[in-house]
Amino acid sequence: MDEKMSHPDDSAEATRRDFFRIAIGVLGTVVGLVLAIPLVGFLVGPAFRKKIPRWARVAKVESLPLGQPAVLSFTDQSSEGYLRETVVRNVWAVRRSATEVTVFSPICTHLGCRYDWEPNSGRFLCPCHGSLFGLDGKVLAGPAPRPLDTLPVKIENGELFVEWERFELGISRKIPV
Ligand code: FES
């Protein structure tokens, strides 16, 4: 019987190769984790960040016409993840009394077009698919699945503040995006 004799150097070499294989595997895993942590933070971090209201002062309440819609513009600091930008927003405000103002998002709840006020008919009209909304935001006609979206408002010292928000489109429930 021909038996192969193993040399002591062979087993030492095999042990060294195993050690390096394991060491490279561990090092690769550590490097992968270190690289993944910032990426996970970027993707998941904003979801856990506490939402801070961004109130924008838009007008003096007394300057708004009673029972008529008015377009108001303001500058908003928007943020997506870690990106920040300054955007000019337009909203529709309807003053209902000396201390009550309803503010509508300018985005049609159907598919997101900008609607306009039709003074002759006293309704909001979306030019894209013909949705009509009343002064109270209710759907009067067309494919819009829900009333116009109202935005959070507050009045302080006679000044109207609005918080910009976006909502899911094309569905009957008002769900913030
Ligand atoms: Fe306004 Fe379709 S986007 S009716």
Side-chain angles (χ1 to χ4, degrees):
M1 199 162 164
D2 183 26
E3 235 179 63
K4 265 192 168 175
M5 294 284 291
S6 72
H7 194 278
D9 284 353
D10 289 347
S11 99
E13 181 63 28
T15 307
R16 204 174 308 132
R17 256 187 268 123
D18 286 347
F19 169 76
F20 280 121
R21 202 175 307 128
I22 291 167
I24 288 169
V26 169
L27 193 65
T29 305
V30 169
V31 169
L33 285 174
V34 167
L35 292 177
I37 287 168
L39 180 66
V40 170
F42 177 81
L43 295 174
V44 177
F48 289 98
R49 212 165 294 137
K50 201 174 165 205
K51 187 177 173 249
I52 300 164
R54 302 188 320 266
W55 291 109
R57 192 173 59 201
V58 290
K60 278 196 171 301
V61 173
E62 65 181 20
S63 71
L64 300 173
L66 204 55
Q68 287 292 315
V71 184
L72 304 174
S73 300
F74 63 95
T75 305
D76 180 45
Q77 291 281 337
S78 92
S79 58
E80 291 277 336
Y82 290 100
L83 303 176
R84 307 231 182 292
E85 60 176 342
T86 302
V87 187
V88 175
R89 310 278 190 203
N90 294 314
V91 293
W92 284 98
V94 181
R95 182 181 168 200
R96 308 206 173 274
S97 71
T99 55
E100 266 183 307
V101 180
T102 303
V103 172
F104 295 114
S105 163
I107 299 168
C108 176
T109 54
H110 178 223
L111 292 177
C113 288
R114 303 280 164 150
Y115 58 87
D116 211 346
W117 174 248
E118 297 277 294
N120 292 337
S121 64
R123 298 181 292 192
F124 292 106
L125 168 66
C126 180
C128 290
H129 311 99
S131 285
L132 286 168
F133 305 89
L135 190 60
D136 57 2
K138 286 200 179 114
V139 180
L140 302 176
R146 65 170 186 267
L148 294 175
D149 293 322
T150 53
L151 295 175
V153 295
K154 67 176 181 179
I155 294 172
E156 282 180 1
N157 300 324
E159 304 264 14
L160 175 67
F161 292 78
V162 174
E163 191 186 359
W164 177 259
E165 273 191 80
R166 291 188 79 101
F167 303 93
E168 296 285 356
L169 299 172
I171 56 175
S172 58
R173 286 181 57 212
K174 181 185 173 192
I175 300 173
V177 173

